């Protein structure tokens, strides 16, 4: 959505594993969480925010535009996992459609 160039994105993905490894080598306990919500659940949550005045502050124009790019974001999510998951800094995906759902390590 234009937040960075392709070059900046690739540089980020390249730099993250070494930066995280440096943190872990220095004694930092690194926990990476990814909260995953289905497309249907995200649409439901956004609809509630549109119609419920106390929740409207949680919804931005970027959020609404992002729904139209769901497939692109899903591909980017997988590319990010592929590029950044390491033994020093594994991702834990939290299935968050339902707050009672269990986390699954990546």
């Amino acid at each position: 959505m234009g937040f960075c160039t392709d070059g900046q994105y690739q540089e980020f993905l390249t730099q993250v594993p070494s930066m995280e490894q440096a943190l872990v080598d220095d004694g930092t306990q690194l926990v990476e969480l990814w909260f995953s919500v289905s497309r249907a659940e995200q649409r439901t949550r956004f609809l509630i925010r549109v119609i419920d005045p106390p929740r409207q502050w949680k919804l931005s124009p970027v959020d609404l535009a992002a729904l139209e790019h769901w497939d692109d974001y899903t591909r980017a999510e997988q590319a990010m996992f592929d590029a950044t998951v390491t033994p020093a800094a594994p991702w834990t995906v939290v299935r968050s459609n339902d707050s009672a759902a269990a986390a699954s390590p990546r």
Side-chain angles (χ1 to χ4, degrees):
M1 290 182 55
F3 294 118
C4 66
T5 67
D6 288 343
Q8 290 168 326
Y9 170 72
Q10 290 304 320
E11 184 177 357
F12 172 80
L13 291 180
T14 301
Q15 291 178 349
V16 164
S18 59
M19 189 247 351
E20 290 176 343
Q21 184 65 56
L23 289 170
V24 170
D25 291 347
D26 198 36
T28 301
Q29 201 169 40
L30 190 59
V31 177
E32 295 190 300
L33 302 174
W34 182 268
F35 292 88
S36 177
V37 179
S38 71
R39 182 186 304 211
E41 179 64 20
Q42 188 75 320
R43 286 188 186 279
T44 298
R45 290 179 184 186
F46 284 0
L47 180 59
I48 290 168
R49 290 174 186 171
V50 166
I51 61 175
D52 185 14
R55 295 184 190 183
Q56 288 176 351
W57 67 271
K58 293 182 177 182
L59 191 63
S60 76
V62 171
D63 293 328
L64 295 173
L67 279 178
E68 302 306 316
H69 297 279
W70 188 270
D71 293 333
D72 296 327
Y73 278 121
T74 300
R75 284 188 292 277
E77 171 188 332
Q78 187 58 53
M80 184 259 320
F81 286 138
D82 292 344
T84 63
V85 68
T86 65
W91 282 95
T92 298
V93 176
V94 179
R95 307 278 176 218
S96 51
N97 274 3
D98 177 355
S99 60
S104 63
R106 279 289 256 180

